């Protein structure tokens, strides 16, 4: 289980925002109540970033937005509300350059899509398409930021757990098998572990940004691989190829290792790389 280091600053002034610095990605997050939005320092928060407005009425409605000047946009939401929000968080880069317009557009879409995929949360007027004008390498970097921002929402008390855990399907269960060894009178076990997309990425068989394609039962979709081995489909990340395929197929179970093709719709199944990984591990076990 991976963790994200966070430095939290809790000011003595109860109206001032609580600040959380997500060190790994140089993200600064401000937590504040609506009635204290004006306590955000102009010098720090009239900066480009994304924000999430949250209700306190039990409806779990949120508004996801982006702005070139966060504090100014939050003032607009306070004066003319689109949601009866009571608390919020704002996110910016804790760097000299900060985010650009395309980057915050992409993050807005990714965060809104991730939250919209949760049955317990309703995204109000959230942009879910994202900004796809960015180069692939920048999208890969921003995808890593999304996890930190979702972590920031957890700190705010928002339930972002998925109702249907991404349990292993039959094609993803760990298995062992005796295979012939190159050495006389010897057999070795294939690794007794579940192979993940993250294993393929860490071994170099698959690279972050690689495109995956699915075409089955009249449905088509394109996904992309993240640096930590997840598959992003329609703005939402999945650890399991079969979980990603199930979403595309409207709940129909599918062996994602076979249905996702690498590089093009006519490419090799993702399972081809999985078998290569298993062969590498078997070779290592023989040494």
């Amino acid at each position: 289980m991976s963790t994200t280091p966070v430095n939290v600053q809790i000011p003595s002034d109860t109206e001032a925002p609580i600040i959380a610095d997500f060190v790994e990605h140089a993200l600064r997050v401000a937590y504040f109540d609506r009635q204290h939005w004006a306590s955000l320092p102009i010098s720090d928060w009239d900066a480009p970033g994304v924000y999430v407005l949250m209700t306190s009425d039990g409806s779990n409605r949120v508004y996801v937005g982006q702005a070139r000047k966060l504090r100014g946009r939050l003032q607009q939401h306070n004066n003319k509300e689109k949601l009866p929000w009571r608390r919020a968080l704002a996110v910016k880069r804790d760097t000299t350059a900060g985010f650009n317009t395309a980057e915050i557009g992409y993050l807005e879409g990714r965060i809104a899509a991730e939250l919209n995929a949760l049955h317990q949360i309703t995204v109000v007027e959230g942009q879910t398409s994202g900004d796809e004008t960015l180069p692939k390498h920048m999208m890969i970097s921003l995808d890593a930021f999304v996890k930190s921002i979702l972590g920031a929402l957890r700190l705010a008390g928002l339930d972002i757990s998925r109702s249907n855990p991404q349990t292993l399907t039959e094609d993803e269960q760990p298995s062992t098998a005796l295979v012939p060894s190159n050495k006389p009178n010897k057999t070795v076990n294939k690794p007794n572990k579940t192979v993940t997309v993250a294993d393929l990425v860490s071994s170099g068989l698959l690279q972050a940004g690689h495109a995956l394609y699915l075409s089955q039962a009249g449905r088509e979709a394109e996904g992309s691989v993240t640096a930590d081995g997840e598959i992003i489909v329609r703005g939402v990340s999945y650890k399991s190829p079969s979980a990603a395929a199930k979403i595309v197929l409207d709940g129909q179970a599918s062996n994602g290792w076979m249905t996702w093709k690498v590089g093009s719709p006519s490419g090799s199944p993702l399972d081809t790389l999985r078998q290569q990984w298993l062969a590498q591990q078997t070779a290592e076990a023989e040494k």
Side-chain angles (χ1 to χ4, degrees):
M1 179 181 64
S2 62
T3 58
T4 301
V6 183
N7 295 328
V8 180
Q9 305 169 36
I10 303 177
S12 57
D13 181 354
T14 57
E15 295 186 3
I18 294 174
I19 301 297
D21 289 321
F22 287 72
V23 181
E24 182 179 2
H25 300 127
L27 294 177
R28 173 156 288 189
V29 181
Y31 299 87
F32 54 95
D33 292 331
R34 179 177 181 174
Q35 59 184 331
H36 300 140
W37 73 267
S39 64
L40 288 169
I42 296 177
S43 58
D44 290 336
W45 291 97
D46 252 353
V50 294
Y51 60 92
V52 180
L53 309 179
M54 294 167 281
T55 57
S56 298
D57 58 4
S59 65
N60 282 332
R61 290 181 296 164
V62 302
Y63 183 99
V64 181
Q66 52 91 5
R68 287 182 290 178
K69 292 186 176 182
L70 282 167
R71 192 180 185 279
R73 180 61 55 80
L74 290 165
Q75 181 178 14
Q76 292 175 4
H77 280 290
N78 183 63
N79 296 339
K80 186 178 180 181
E81 66 178 28
K82 295 184 178 180
L83 179 77
W85 63 285
R86 290 296 173 265
R87 57 200 179 97
L89 63 79
V91 185
K92 68 168 189 170
R93 285 306 301 278
D94 190 21
T95 59
T96 302
F99 286 122
N100 62 40
T101 302
E103 290 170 338
I104 57 177
Y106 181 80
L107 285 173
E108 178 192 21
R110 284 280 285 111
I111 296 164
E114 290 280 0
L115 295 179
N116 205 40
L118 304 175
H119 80 97
Q120 70 271 29
I121 293 177
T122 301
V123 178
V124 178
E125 294 190 26
Q127 171 62 257
T128 58
S129 60
D131 190 316
E132 301 295 333
T133 63
L134 290 165
K136 182 66 70 175
H137 72 276
M138 292 184 69
M139 291 185 186
I140 293 170
S141 297
L142 293 171
D143 287 333
F145 292 0
V146 170
K147 281 197 168 183
S148 289
I149 297 173
L150 292 176
L153 288 168
R154 288 186 64 193
L155 285 178
L158 196 66
D159 179 11
I160 60 169
S161 59
R162 295 192 178 180
S163 58
N164 297 314
Q166 297 184 43
T167 53
L168 298 176
T169 57
E170 184 177 353
D171 64 284
E172 294 170 330
Q173 295 289 350
S175 61
T176 57
L178 289 175
V179 297
S181 170
N182 292 329
K183 299 178 181 179
N185 303 318
K186 183 180 179 181
T187 59
V188 296
N189 282 320
K190 282 188 175 181
N192 183 17
K193 79 180 293 292
T194 301
V195 183
T196 65
V197 177
D199 291 324
L200 305 184
V201 173
S202 62
S203 68
L205 290 171
L206 192 64
Q207 295 181 355
H210 260 160
L212 302 177
Y213 296 86
L214 182 149
S215 179
Q216 181 177 312
R219 307 278 182 174
E220 295 184 353
E222 180 179 348
S224 62
V225 179
T226 69
D228 56 1
E230 295 186 341
I231 300 173
I232 297 176
V233 181
R234 299 171 182 169
V236 183
S237 60
Y238 300 92
K239 296 179 181 178
S240 156
S242 295
K246 188 175 181 179
I247 292 298
V248 174
L249 299 173
D250 292 333
Q252 178 184 340
S254 175
N255 182 343
W257 289 98
M258 300 303 299
T259 51
W260 287 107
K261 303 299 192 296
V262 180
S264 71
S266 59
S268 299
L270 191 57
D271 184 63
T272 301
L273 299 182
R274 178 169 65 163
Q275 296 306 320
Q276 290 180 28
W277 186 91
L278 286 168
Q280 289 180 356
Q281 299 305 301
T282 301
E284 287 293 323
E286 287 185 299
K287 295 180 180 178

